[in-house]
Amino acid sequence: MPVIRVALSVPVDTLFDYQADDASEQDIGARACVPFGKKKLTGVIVAVGTETQIAVEKLKPAHCIFREIKPLPAALLDLFHFCSQYYHHPLGMVIMNGLPVKLRNNKAAILKRNPHDDCYVLTATGASIDLSSIPARNRVARSLLNEFQHANTLTALQVKQISPRAVKLVPEWIRLGWITVQPISAARVTGTAKIPALNSEQASAVDAITASNQQFDTWLLHGVTGSGKTEVYLRIIEPMLTQDKQTLVLIPEISLTPQLEAVFRNRFPAVPLVSLHSGLNDTERLSGWLQAQSGEAKIILGTRLAVFTPLPTLGLIIVDEEQDSSFKQQDGLRYSARDLAIFRGKQANIPVVLGSATPSLESYHHALTGRYRHVRLLSRAVQNAALPSIRCIDTRINKTQDGLSQPLLQALDQCLKEKHQSLIFLNRRGYAPVLLCKSCGWSAACQRCSSRLVVHLRDKKLSCHHCGHQAQFPRACPQCGNQDITPFGQGTQRVEETLAAHFPAARILRIDRDSTRRKHAWQEILHAIQTQQVDILIGTQLLAKGHDFPNLALVGILNADNALYSTDFRASERLFAQLMQVAGRAGRANVAGHVLIQTEFPEHPLYQSLKQHDYDALAQTLLAERKIAGFPPYVYQALLRAEAHDIRIVLDFLDQAKQLAQSLEIVELFDPVPAQMVRLKGLERGHVLVQSASRKHLQAFLTGWYEKLMTLPSQKVRWVLDVDPLEF
Ligand code: ADP
Ligand code: ZN
Ligand code: ZN
């Protein structure tokens, strides 16, 4: 009598056995719907056998096995096993977290896709249509035509990914003769896009990586901003396509997806590409996932969750902006997609390319010690584009008014006169970070978090940027009754207001999470910038990464000093990466770039290295500091995180947990402490830090500790292990 062993998404580290008469070995990796207590649950079959520890009379029959899609391949199940072991998280939760939402419920997946996808090619008539002749309210039609005019060829799936409504336009456009249908196989690998000749640095990077294409290696592609890393990616993907292999490209969880997607489609218009990111609905995600699983999609572009995609013919993995912290999931299963990508590379014996202008110190360290292979691009790719000049404005001498100093205002003025674009970078959205009573010192705080409420003047609200809580504007100070309560400090909205007053003729555009919430906001914004409809941009980190704005000549950086003296040992590394990124937006084409940093600490080594564009100098300094202090990459860390309604319960729990730990000689175990931000979303949080110079020792310790932790009563406490934590 066959027995299936099923991994279910329940918070215990066990697998569950069920009787399934029709099961065979072929069903390993398939989903099964089974009774669980009074409920039905769907999980994944990880083994099929005849034996079980469960008494025959207690063994329940499974409801059904879903066979409408292929079972998960063994390599993917191995990845899930590794992930469960390494992050000490129940296998069932790991697997179900990694599947598309549509495969987590108790239903068969409905497959609507046509395996013989067509693609559509723009005709000369279609190419001649002026985009602006389509009414702006007809957004879908506009973006579809725009995509066609850029890419020339789009597959049916690509059209669908633009918008499900775009699909409905296709028959009409064929009738109008704007596009024609063509089977996918007739199309070429590379498109008509102009392909630049590689410079010598790029060429040696491409040669080195493609030469080792049949074996595992982790490559650190370390290239200054604008050095043409994307072109290197395209060139190393090309041989994969001709060999009919898949490439997985992981990118940070940011607005950059559509832009990179467009670049890839433009170069490889007829190559089936799926993009898997948080902007998709569940049906779209499932459809992309299935295309990847069938091997049909050749390029899989996705954010961190895409690392769990089944890829039967995987030939190459690229992780762009590898230092970005969004590759690490910050709740539930706290995995690092970058690190799992390296595991996958090793598993499939293929190269993994980590790209960055400012690698994480971990990766940089590995490159220096020879564990990763280091390839560098030291100059900008576009001819005559030099790295921008970077200067500090000492705000102790040049006092700021409403956050802006005279030298910065003058530079903006100059830039406007020269008809170049400028960018003001301020990593703080809203109008002002604090609402303050000048007579008693009261400030508006969030009741659910240890944080202040941010003033959003436009909608007359106070808002918590951690939990989303919103409050009305108080008419008077709730503490002393004083009516003179004022916004204090600068947010992007206030800087926008100030700049509008200074430069009434300038076209100013603010780009932060508030201004980009609408679905197509990003595309419109990028279009406006690229067509020179904007003079001054004001943006948060959203704007810092990756975007290519050829006419941007000036970048002003406000309020960066806070991070210089943070208690977080990674703060300097992050600030440097972020400022390099923002500075890197300037002077990318034929316009010389200038960067002005307003600071009270112009002599700080971080700004000194930044001025020289000297990543290595700062990285060496930080590495030396970390070595002395015993921080990563010289030690491996894990946190036991716990949260409850009261910090005392949390610390009690953590005390007990610490007492359970044994064999302390192989790891260093610290005392329980409250988290840096104690209250978050109404819960209070604390942790215990464990570290060791040996990853193996740390893992061995965690395995034993985890088993014991599972026996602790924890009704009042939620806890989780966070391996290689990034936040404290
Ligand atoms: P990075 O990602 O390294 O910051 P990008 O890949 O965005 O840089 O490239 C910067 C610019 O350089 C882009 O406009 C790109 O088209 C251009 N570029 C890349 N390679 C070349 C090359 N070999 N010749 C000319 N221009 C290039
Ligand atoms: Zn007051
Ligand atoms: Zn809050």
Side-chain angles (χ1 to χ4, degrees):
M1 174 191 65
V3 173
I4 56 174
R5 184 153 291 173
V6 182
L8 294 170
S9 185
V10 290
V12 287
D13 198 14
T14 2
L15 299 167
F16 299 88
D17 288 352
Y18 295 90
Q19 178 195 332
D21 296 336
D22 62 336
S24 73
E25 294 259 306
Q26 313 284 316
D27 292 320
I28 295 175
R31 296 180 311 131
C33 180
V34 296
F36 190 80
K38 291 196 174 92
K39 288 185 295 193
K40 269 185 185 179
L41 282 182
T42 289
V44 168
I45 301 173
V46 293
V48 179
T50 48
E51 280 169 30
T52 172
Q53 309 283 8
I54 297 178
V56 181
E57 63 279 9
K58 285 204 172 153
L59 189 69
K60 291 185 196 155
H63 292 304
C64 67
I65 296 175
F66 295 111
R67 296 192 177 91
E68 80 287 7
I69 60 168
K70 273 196 280 178
L72 304 179
L76 188 64
L77 288 174
D78 283 348
L79 174 71
F80 285 135
H81 272 287
F82 169 77
C83 187
S84 162
Q85 267 162 24
Y86 186 78
Y87 292 106
H88 303 275
H89 208 75
L91 180 63
M93 295 183 79
V94 169
I95 295 181
M96 297 317 275
N97 164 77
L99 295 186
V101 173
K102 288 246 166 181
L103 296 181
R104 298 181 200 171
N105 58 27
N106 298 330
K107 289 184 209 137
I110 299 165
L111 311 175
K112 277 185 285 193
R113 78 192 176 82
N114 173 4
H116 303 291
D117 261 351
D118 288 327
C119 63
Y120 309 110
V121 184
L122 192 69
T123 61
T125 319
S128 70
I129 291 162
D130 186 359
L131 207 56
S132 57
S133 70
I134 296 180
R137 72 190 133 75
N138 225 336
R139 256 198 224 122
V140 176
R142 259 202 187 192
S143 48
L144 183 63
L145 187 62
N146 187 31
E147 288 286 330
F148 267 118
Q149 292 186 341
H150 275 107
N152 195 52
T153 307
L154 293 177
T155 64
L157 183 75
Q158 289 171 333
V159 170
K160 201 167 141 197
Q161 284 186 341
I162 291 168
S163 156
R165 278 187 288 154
V167 178
K168 299 194 182 118
L169 297 172
V170 166
E172 168 82 2
W173 288 16
I174 292 172
R175 200 176 53 77
L176 292 170
W178 294 6
I179 53 177
T180 57
V181 197
Q182 193 178 308
I184 266 184
S185 55
R188 297 167 310 263
V189 167
T190 45
T192 49
K194 214 173 134 254
I195 300 174
L198 295 181
N199 62 37
S200 61
E201 287 180 335
Q202 287 173 316
S204 27
V206 170
D207 288 347
I209 298 168
T210 40
S212 79
N213 109 37
Q214 308 295 347
Q215 71 180 51
F216 167 67
D217 254 320
T218 306
W219 295 84
L220 181 62
L221 178 62
H222 186 174
V224 298
T225 53
S227 59
K229 293 185 285 295
T230 316
E231 188 58 40
V232 173
Y233 300 157
L234 293 167
R235 296 299 182 97
I236 58 178
I237 291 173
E238 209 182 299
M240 293 297 124
L241 299 172
T242 48
Q243 294 166 50
D244 217 25
K245 287 185 184 162
Q246 294 175 299
T247 304
L248 173 66
V249 184
L250 295 177
I251 49 177
E253 184 75 64
I254 42 164
S255 53
L256 221 54
T257 333
Q259 213 191 9
L260 207 58
E261 203 180 315
V263 170
F264 280 56
R265 285 191 168 154
N266 207 18
R267 180 65 60 87
F268 309 120
V271 171
L273 173 152
V274 295
S275 115
L276 299 170
H277 54 82
S278 56
L280 302 181
N281 67 33
D282 293 345
T283 311
E284 290 166 322
R285 195 178 258 277
L286 176 64
S287 144
W289 190 91
L290 288 170
Q291 299 250 329
Q293 192 204 27
S294 69
E296 213 175 305
K298 299 301 178 204
I299 300 176
I300 294 85
L301 186 67
T303 50
R304 65 172 176 264
L305 196 55
V307 80
F308 295 116
T309 314
L311 299 160
T313 57
L314 184 60
L316 171 69
I317 303 178
I318 295 169
V319 183
D320 191 27
E321 306 288 359
E322 66 88 25
Q323 82 290 350
D324 199 286
S325 58
S326 76
F327 286 121
K328 180 110 201 294
Q329 171 135 315
Q330 296 295 3
D331 54 26
L333 170 62
R334 292 175 174 251
Y335 67 97
S336 156
R338 176 197 61 202
D339 297 349
L340 290 180
I342 294 170
F343 175 86
R344 283 197 86 158
K346 203 187 255 170
Q347 187 189 40
N349 200 27
I350 55 164
V352 179
V353 177
L354 309 178
S356 180
T358 49
S360 66
L361 287 181
E362 282 82 357
S363 298
Y364 182 64
H365 179 65
H366 287 327
L368 292 184
T369 56
R371 246 183 83 188
Y372 294 175
R373 301 183 63 177
H374 206 180
V375 271
R376 302 197 71 150
L377 309 175
L378 297 166
S379 52
R380 288 197 150 178
V382 172
Q383 238 173 11
N384 301 326
L387 287 167
S389 74
I390 301 179
R391 276 203 304 125
C392 288
I393 299 173
D394 188 339
T395 50
R396 291 167 306 183
I397 301 162
N398 299 286
K399 295 280 176 227
T400 61
Q401 208 182 2
D402 295 321
L404 299 165
S405 64
Q406 272 311 318
L408 182 57
L409 288 170
Q410 279 158 16
L412 282 168
D413 192 40
Q414 185 64 27
C415 201
L416 280 169
K417 289 201 178 105
E418 287 166 7
K419 302 226 176 313
H420 289 146
Q421 286 172 325
S422 49
L423 159 66
I424 299 293
F425 174 75
L426 170 64
N427 213 357
R428 198 189 259 160
R429 69 194 166 87
Y431 185 80
V434 193
L435 185 66
L436 199 67
C437 168
K438 287 220 172 128
S439 89
C440 78
W442 170 88
S443 66
C446 178
Q447 269 141 37
R448 307 179 66 222
C449 306
S450 352
S451 72
R452 291 195 173 113
L453 293 174
V454 176
V455 181
H456 285 250
L457 210 56
R458 203 158 298 182
D459 15 87
K460 287 235 168 267
K461 286 245 162 66
L462 298 171
S463 149
C464 173
H465 286 188
H466 297 279
C467 71
H469 171 73
Q470 291 206 326
Q472 294 300 326
F473 237 87
R475 229 167 268 163
C477 171
Q479 196 162 284
C480 74
N482 172 27
Q483 304 208 341
D484 184 23
I485 44 177
T486 41
F488 186 78
Q490 317 292 326
T492 47
Q493 291 179 4
R494 192 173 206 169
V495 170
E496 183 183 15
E497 187 182 281
T498 309
L499 286 174
H502 269 282
F503 305 109
R507 298 162 300 173
I508 300 175
L509 185 64
R510 175 171 54 83
I511 301 170
D512 53 28
R513 264 209 289 152
D514 300 314
S515 71
T516 52
R517 257 183 250 276
R518 277 180 309 108
K519 189 149 186 191
H520 292 283
W522 257 109
Q523 271 147 301
E524 287 164 23
I525 287 171
L526 292 176
H527 185 73
I529 300 172
Q530 255 127 25
T531 51
Q532 314 303 326
Q533 298 173 49
V534 185
D535 301 312
I536 304 177
L537 295 155
I538 302 164
T540 58
Q541 59 181 2
L542 267 189
L543 201 64
K545 295 173 196 159
H547 297 288
D548 212 19
F549 305 137
N551 197 33
L552 189 73
L554 174 70
V555 172
I557 293 169
L558 314 186
N559 249 313
D561 286 348
N562 302 345
L564 288 179
Y565 299 102
S566 157
T567 51
D568 181 349
F569 71 87
R570 283 198 175 84
S572 302
E573 179 188 349
R574 283 196 194 124
L575 177 65
F576 188 76
Q578 198 170 59
L579 295 185
M580 280 281 250
Q581 295 258 16
V582 197
R585 296 314 104 206
R588 288 173 73 90
N590 297 316
V591 182
H594 299 283
V595 179
L596 296 174
I597 305 170
Q598 290 191 166
T599 172
E600 287 186 32
F601 309 99
E603 303 309 323
H604 194 283
L606 191 143
Y607 294 136
Q608 291 302 321
S609 303
L610 195 69
K611 278 160 71 175
Q612 311 293 325
H613 301 276
D614 198 346
Y615 167 87
D616 296 78
L618 188 78
Q620 302 280 5
T621 311
L622 294 178
L623 280 174
E625 281 172 21
R626 298 239 189 129
K627 190 166 193 174
I628 291 166
F631 285 135
Y634 299 97
V635 298
Y636 297 93
Q637 297 184 320
L639 287 183
L640 170 62
R641 297 178 179 276
E643 59 182 31
H645 287 288
D646 189 329
I647 189 70
R648 281 169 306 186
I649 299 173
V650 174
L651 295 176
D652 274 354
F653 171 85
L654 292 172
D655 265 330
Q656 287 178 40
K658 191 183 169 185
Q659 281 163 22
L660 286 179
Q662 276 171 359
S663 54
L664 287 180
E665 62 280 5
I666 61 166
V667 297
E668 211 179 336
L669 190 66
F670 292 81
D671 284 331
V673 287
Q676 264 172 27
M677 196 177 150
V678 181
R679 269 176 83 76
L680 181 68
K681 301 179 185 175
L683 289 173
E684 303 201 316
R685 310 156 334 132
H687 58 243
V688 167
L689 171 66
V690 206
Q691 63 181 36
S692 167
S694 150
R695 179 172 263 163
K696 228 173 82 192
H697 286 168
L698 180 65
Q699 281 294 331
F701 166 81
L702 290 175
T703 305
W705 198 28
Y706 178 71
E707 271 173 31
K708 297 206 181 93
L709 290 173
M710 282 299 211
T711 65
L712 271 184
S714 62
Q715 285 94 338
K716 290 183 183 155
V717 186
R718 276 216 331 233
W719 63 268
V720 69
L721 283 174
D722 184 352
V723 182
D724 308 324
L726 288 183
E727 287 178 357
F728 287 82

